[in-house]
Amino acid sequence: MDPIDYYNKYAAKVFEDTADQNMEHITSEFLGLLEEGDTILDMGCGSGRDSLTFYELGYDVTPLDASEEMCRLAEVHTGLEVLQMTYEEMEFDGVFDGVWACGALIHIPKAELPDILRRVARALEEDGIFYLSMRLGDFEGFKGERYFSYYSEKELRSILERSGLFRVEKEWVTNDVRSSHPDTRWINLLARKR
């Protein structure tokens, strides 16, 4: 199943599973590299959880998601307008101080990641900050109804550095905040646009 179709079909469940999870230990790392009032693009905003956090802390946030149903739920949850578009449709030109992609790119085939990274870099202002989290592991393909790409720490860092678009500033691994996913680990990466 196409990821957008999946998130349209299961939007209510995804919302329930994610909207109330506390991400402060990670959002604080990202926001520590920005200034209050800075512009943030929340890619794959899902429930709008992180967009709402950023907004309430005084940032100018633009939530974005490809799923019509997730956009609808995120708008209700945050009170913000949510852009409905795919990553391939992103054509922003140096308008964001930060781009937040929390688990947002896990359904992108590895061969397509470099193009998405170019779009992210283009969306960022000079010296902009990019936060990316990906599932830790060695797998690419379908699990159930969705396509997943997992990465090793070395592989993900190498892709970003080889792109020539970003300089990795920090990298760390965390457990999933959802109690329903005790064996899932995430690579968290903070990078600055070159």
Side-chain angles (χ1 to χ4, degrees):
M1 177 182 288
D2 178 271
I4 298 169
D5 293 338
Y6 178 91
Y7 286 101
N8 280 329
K9 183 177 179 181
Y10 298 109
K13 181 176 182 350
V14 172
F15 183 91
E16 279 180 32
D17 290 348
T18 60
D20 294 327
Q21 299 298 331
N22 186 338
M23 297 292 292
E24 185 179 353
H25 62 293
I26 296 176
T27 56
S28 61
E29 296 279 351
F30 173 65
L31 298 177
L33 298 174
L34 297 173
E35 295 179 15
E36 189 175 334
D38 275 355
T39 54
I40 297 173
L41 174 64
D42 184 0
M43 289 178 67
C45 70
S47 65
R49 173 197 65 210
D50 302 327
S51 288
L52 183 59
T53 296
F54 300 146
Y55 178 74
E56 289 179 341
L57 290 172
Y59 295 88
D60 179 1
V61 61
T62 301
L64 178 150
D65 205 284
S67 160
E68 182 179 355
E69 286 303 307
M70 291 310 306
C71 287
R72 190 178 60 72
L73 292 174
E75 284 186 350
V76 170
H77 184 60
T78 64
L80 300 168
E81 182 181 346
V82 178
L83 296 180
Q84 183 189 348
M85 68 171 59
T86 66
Y87 305 140
E88 293 79 13
E89 294 171 323
M90 289 183 2
E91 294 289 342
F92 304 110
D93 231 341
V95 294
F96 298 104
D97 299 297
V99 171
W100 174 261
C102 183
L105 305 179
I106 61 173
H107 303 303
I108 302 292
K110 291 184 179 188
E112 295 175 20
L113 186 59
D115 177 60
I116 304 300
L117 294 177
R118 281 190 290 277
R119 292 175 186 277
V120 169
R122 186 172 163 201
L124 282 166
E125 291 189 12
E126 191 174 334
D127 287 330
I129 300 298
F130 179 38
Y131 167 78
L132 171 67
S133 64
M134 292 288 211
R135 280 197 175 178
L136 177 64
D138 180 21
F139 176 79
E140 182 176 15
F142 279 93
K143 283 195 180 230
E145 297 179 74
R146 293 175 291 173
Y147 192 90
F148 286 92
S149 294
Y150 296 5
Y151 293 84
S152 70
E153 294 171 80
K154 181 179 178 183
E155 179 185 17
L156 189 57
R157 174 184 280 268
S158 174
I159 289 168
L160 259 77
E161 291 180 342
R162 272 198 330 262
S163 75
L165 302 168
F166 300 99
R167 180 178 70 251
V168 175
E169 300 222 331
K170 183 172 182 177
E171 177 185 347
W172 71 107
V173 174
T174 53
N175 294 320
D176 200 300
V177 296
R178 299 167 296 177
S179 58
S180 58
H181 292 70
D183 298 328
T184 302
R185 303 190 76 211
W186 294 88
I187 304 167
N188 302 273
L189 223 148
L190 280 167
R192 191 176 293 275
K193 180 178 174 178
R194 289 185 183 272

